[in-house]
Amino acid sequence: MKSLRFLWFLVILLVVISSAGAGAKDYIEIWPQGWSEVKPLFSTSIFADRFSVEHDSFGTSTLTVDGLYFRELDLTYRLIRDSVIEEELVLVEKGELDNPYLGLDDLGNRHLFWLDRSGEKNTLNYTMLTVPGGEFEQHIFWETQNTIQDLAVVQDGENSHLVWSERDPYFQIKYARLEKGRLAEDVTITEGVDLSIRPSIVLDSQGRPHIAWYETTPVAVRVFYSKRENGGWTKPLQIGNGSVQDIQQGGTIAMTAWGGQIYLAWASTPRDSNHLFVNLARAGGGEMAPQVLDQGSRPRFVEGARSLQLVWQGTGRFGAQIHHGVWEEGALVEKTNLTVGRKMAFRPEVVTQDEFLYVYWLQADPDRGYRLFEINNQFPKKI
């Protein structure tokens, strides 16, 4: 009897030891090799579809809408150096705010844009900050009784290129150009009865704007593309199919100009699946049909990288994760899960600092809304 008990003791001991070893091995394998510790930065609201982040020699700048209540949000600018908040400035208090966008110019100015639904009319707003922050003046450059949504901006020196969706009387895509914060041009790109929403915009090497958007019908969601030429805007070209599920989750179309081409990435559900998958396509010359990269949504291109890289909201054992990958020769390579643990991560954004990647995302904060986190590959964690 004693021999049998001793034998069972040895078996249990071996199981415990092997499980501990396997656990240690899993931890080393799971942690993204070559990436830093994950650092929490600050709390923000659950209501914003996105936050905006940029980097220059002054540090990392963020623009968020913060608060607990939908109609009482604060528009907040922060300057972060070495993961420490050096400056925090509330630009607008307790408003129904959305679509914060932050752009930089070569002089160190911060160009800030947002949508405000607080008053009798809906407005698109602009202000400029210098570093360190001082006085600023809010400027309304678009005001209407129409419903407006989905503001997207790209900065080009002191000039700004903007797109948004406006109900007039159907949801149409509008484009505007600001020169030093003042409206210089506005154009309606679409004119159909289908809903045109969630536009994105990018500039090519010659400074010409390219835009993409979702167009929804009772039976389908389609991805359309147009670019600016000397004679105006080109006829909208269908690039691929989108997904109602992605739109409901706040998804947009990512765009980048790389290698002399315009690339687009978005999420859709294949016919044989109920899950979202990230698609990649090329437009604007040398078109490439959409290719499925990986399961997930909310892709973002890495600007300023030597190769075509993306981050996106992928899926894992415990829910949403943040993934990074490199696209080479028609395939996704070097896919990495940047999030460790059981907490779900959402809505990634990415910037480059001296060719190093800094990736940001949101996780649920038990005390207040979401919390913004950061990881980078400049200061890898020792494993």
Side-chain angles (χ1 to χ4, degrees):
M1 188 69 178
K2 291 183 178 179
S3 303
L4 184 60
R5 288 179 178 177
F6 181 73
L7 181 60
W8 275 108
F9 174 78
L10 287 178
V11 171
I12 294 172
L13 182 62
L14 288 173
V15 170
V16 171
I17 292 174
S18 61
S19 298
K25 182 180 179 182
D26 286 346
Y27 179 79
I28 293 174
E29 290 178 347
I30 289 174
W31 193 269
Q33 184 176 2
W35 291 82
S36 70
E37 293 273 12
V38 175
K39 299 179 181 179
L41 295 179
F42 57 84
S43 295
T44 186
S45 170
I46 66 172
F47 296 110
D49 275 345
R50 61 160 294 159
F51 58 93
S52 191
V53 58
E54 294 288 349
H55 177 81
D56 62 5
S57 60
F58 293 99
T60 299
S61 293
T62 65
L63 187 65
T64 59
V65 289
D66 306 332
L68 298 176
Y69 303 103
F70 182 68
R71 291 193 171 102
E72 296 183 6
L73 299 174
D74 296 338
L75 181 71
T76 308
Y77 167 81
R78 294 176 177 90
L79 178 64
I80 303 170
R81 296 190 183 99
D82 300 324
S83 302
V84 176
I85 298 175
E86 298 284 345
E87 183 180 339
E88 183 171 301
L89 181 62
V90 176
L91 304 169
V92 182
E93 293 184 338
K94 297 188 181 305
E96 188 176 339
L97 312 173
D98 205 356
N99 304 146
Y101 264 83
L102 165 67
L104 309 178
D105 63 29
D106 295 336
L107 302 176
N109 298 313
R110 275 79 175 124
H111 301 266
L112 314 179
F113 306 85
W114 67 96
L115 190 160
D116 192 338
R117 303 187 183 96
S118 305
E120 295 181 358
K121 293 185 178 181
N122 299 310
T123 61
L124 298 177
N125 303 264
Y126 165 83
T127 193
M128 187 183 75
L129 294 176
T130 57
V131 177
E135 296 183 356
F136 60 92
E137 180 182 356
Q138 176 182 346
H139 170 60
I140 296 175
F141 65 87
W142 193 263
E143 186 175 33
T144 178
Q145 295 282 5
N146 298 332
T147 300
I148 52 177
Q149 60 186 43
D150 309 330
L151 175 66
V153 186
V154 62
Q155 193 68 27
D156 181 23
E158 295 182 322
N159 297 328
S160 312
H161 300 262
L162 309 94
V163 286
W164 67 91
S165 180
E166 181 171 332
R167 190 168 185 172
D168 184 25
Y170 306 101
F171 276 103
Q172 310 289 359
I173 302 302
K174 292 186 177 290
Y175 161 84
R177 179 171 53 86
L178 272 61
E179 295 181 355
K180 297 182 178 181
R182 302 297 175 180
L183 185 64
E185 176 188 8
D186 65 274
V187 179
T188 300
I189 304 298
T190 59
E191 52 185 18
V193 298
D194 296 325
L195 274 65
S196 299
I197 57 175
R198 302 291 169 87
S200 298
I201 184 168
V202 71
L203 302 181
D204 61 25
S205 58
Q206 299 179 358
R208 295 176 301 188
H210 301 243
I211 63 174
W213 65 92
Y214 289 131
E215 193 165 285
T216 67
T217 71
V219 296
V221 176
R222 298 174 293 177
V223 177
F224 278 91
Y225 161 85
S226 180
K227 65 180 178 179
R228 182 72 172 270
E229 291 186 339
N230 294 334
W233 291 88
T234 60
K235 181 181 178 181
L237 172 69
Q238 183 176 348
I239 299 297
N241 295 315
S243 168
V244 173
Q245 182 181 348
D246 180 52
I247 293 174
Q248 291 174 338
Q249 296 178 8
T252 58
I253 305 165
M255 302 184 73
T256 190
W258 186 84
Q261 304 286 344
I262 302 298
Y263 287 86
L264 300 86
W266 70 94
S268 67
T269 50
R271 292 182 179 179
D272 57 349
S273 174
N274 293 323
H275 300 289
L276 289 170
F277 284 79
V278 175
N279 296 266
L280 179 72
R282 189 169 58 223
E287 278 74 12
M288 179 186 75
Q291 297 185 8
V292 176
L293 297 186
D294 192 47
Q295 187 173 344
S297 60
R298 288 184 173 269
R300 292 287 185 266
F301 287 106
V302 179
E303 300 293 343
R306 294 183 178 180
S307 56
L308 190 62
Q309 302 182 40
L310 304 94
V311 297
W312 66 95
Q313 181 178 303
T315 58
R317 180 179 177 185
F318 301 108
Q321 300 175 336
I322 305 304
H323 292 168
H324 166 260
V326 180
W327 190 79
E328 290 181 354
E329 299 180 355
L332 184 67
V333 298
E334 300 180 22
K335 175 185 167 182
T336 305
N337 172 29
L338 301 180
T339 44
V340 177
R342 300 189 178 190
K343 290 186 177 181
M344 293 189 291
F346 310 94
R347 307 175 188 177
E349 298 289 345
V350 57
V351 298
T352 53
Q353 302 184 20
D354 302 322
E355 298 186 0
F356 295 103
L357 272 61
Y358 281 70
V359 183
Y360 302 84
W361 65 80
L362 300 175
Q363 287 182 346
D365 187 338
D367 298 324
R368 182 189 179 191
Y370 284 153
R371 194 164 186 83
L372 189 71
F373 287 80
E374 173 198 273
I375 195 172
N376 66 78
N377 61 3
Q378 185 172 7
F379 304 103
K381 173 185 172 67
K382 294 181 180 181
I383 300 178

